[in-house]
Amino acid sequence: MADRTLRGAIFGAGFWARYQIAGWKELEGVELVALYNRTREKAERLAEEFGIPAVYDDPERLIRQERPDFVDIVTDVDTHPRFVFLAAEHRVPVICQKPIAPNLELAERMVQVCREAGVPFFIHENWRWQRPLREVKRLLNERRIGRVFRGRIQYSCSFPVFENQPFLKELDQFILTDIGSHILDVARFLFGEARSLYCQIHRVHPDIRGEDVATVMMRMGATGTTVVCEMSYASRLERERFPETFLLIEGERGSIELGPDYWVRLTTEEGTFARRYPPPRYAWADPDYGLIHASIVDCHRDLLRALQTGGLPETDGADNLKTARLFFGAYDSAREDRVLHFEET
Ligand code: 89V
């Protein structure tokens, strides 16, 4: 059963869809059979480039005619709920890009509807699949630095992200939904669930609607680790390192650092052990996004395995709701200048 080849359909033909498709092509056990897009010509061009046999501009017709084993939604966030509900109605397992939904109520509804329909609902949350972050997680699991008391996650740059993804300029809620959805998920991946959260935000770019700088502080996990997440598209630094995430994790017996150029440093009383963990390279990846594009493949692999075996991936809808509660909650915290407290989950 585990090796059954699944027939997948892609919804969306925008900037991200081509990398999502290229990522699927790296894996055995999956075949892309159809592509839907509102504007048919865009879908036709992309389908031809990647050898996807069927194109639709009506998502329901695609599902009825192709009966795919899963759909992978790579459209704007506003359309996620509609497509997830459609897939659930037709009992088709569904994968959806981050951020899961335009607001928390809809995200909860999507998870509930799929659960009630018995339909697997997974989120393509790729950040935690970046190779250096996996290595840091391995070191933490091995308890190399003992009990962790503080973690700092930094994603700050001035990369012109709006050039490739102009819609990001129009979002009322920008960096916390686009990057916070990744970074707060990494925080959960490394440190466990949040017990409290406080956030402050800024808009520095004058020509965008949402915030482009956010700082989130959380108390996380069983031992109450203090975690600070810094996110910015307005930081002009000596070296531009988009899209790298930096870490400094401090524990009772040492520290783990993820620095520029994928260097992971483990420091204990025995000294510092440093090693570089660059991402695998793919010919189709955009060099500016190589780190992220490589993580698409590993995230796909985890989702595919779950679809093939009937198991759960790391980032199913219910898991991702816990991340969504953090980044949507961060807006409430910033607006009201208030600490949020979460029930233990
Ligand atoms: O992965 C993402 O969510 C992208 C990018 C890193 C470019 O913001 O939107």
Side-chain angles (χ1 to χ4, degrees), residues 16 98 127 155 161 165 168 178-179 182 233 242 289 292:
W16 210 255
K98 54 57 68 174
W127 217 264
Y155 175 90
V161 68
Q165 295 166 279
L168 294 174
D178 189 57
I179 287 302
H182 288 312
Y233 273 118
F242 173 87
Y289 295 76
I292 311 176

Side-chain angles (χ1 to χ4, degrees), residues 13 32 85 102-103 117 159 169 203 246 272 289 315:
L32 297 181
F85 295 146
N103 59 56
F159 183 77
K169 264 187 159 174
R203 176 170 52 222
F246 302 137
T272 297
Y289 295 76
T315 55

Side-chain angles (χ1 to χ4, degrees), residues 96-196:
C96 181
Q97 278 294 306
K98 54 57 68 174
I100 178 172
N103 59 56
L104 188 58
E105 293 67 34
L106 276 167
E108 282 169 347
R109 184 99 191 98
M110 287 152 79
V111 171
Q112 186 193 359
V113 164
C114 289
R115 186 185 295 130
E116 284 170 6
V119 166
F121 173 36
F122 302 159
I123 303 300
H124 181 96
E125 174 43 70
N126 52 41
W127 217 264
R128 59 164 71 195
W129 288 97
Q130 292 175 14
R131 189 171 173 222
L133 293 173
R134 301 304 285 192
E135 173 59 19
V136 169
K137 174 68 173 168
R138 188 183 67 74
L139 294 172
L140 286 175
N141 284 350
E142 289 175 357
R143 296 192 55 79
R144 301 290 285 272
I145 59 169
R147 184 183 72 86
V148 172
F149 56 86
R150 186 161 59 186
R152 177 183 181 210
I153 308 181
Q154 194 192 35
Y155 175 90
S156 296
C157 63
S158 55
F159 183 77
V161 68
F162 310 110
E163 284 177 16
N164 290 324
Q165 295 166 279
F167 71 94
L168 294 174
K169 264 187 159 174
E170 309 305 326
L171 296 178
D172 288 326
Q173 298 183 325
F174 167 45
I175 204 166
L176 279 166
T177 56
D178 189 57
I179 287 302
S181 52
H182 288 312
I183 296 297
L184 301 186
D185 188 69
V186 167
R188 289 185 50 238
F189 172 62
L190 296 176
F191 304 114
E193 299 308 332
R195 293 142 166 238
S196 61

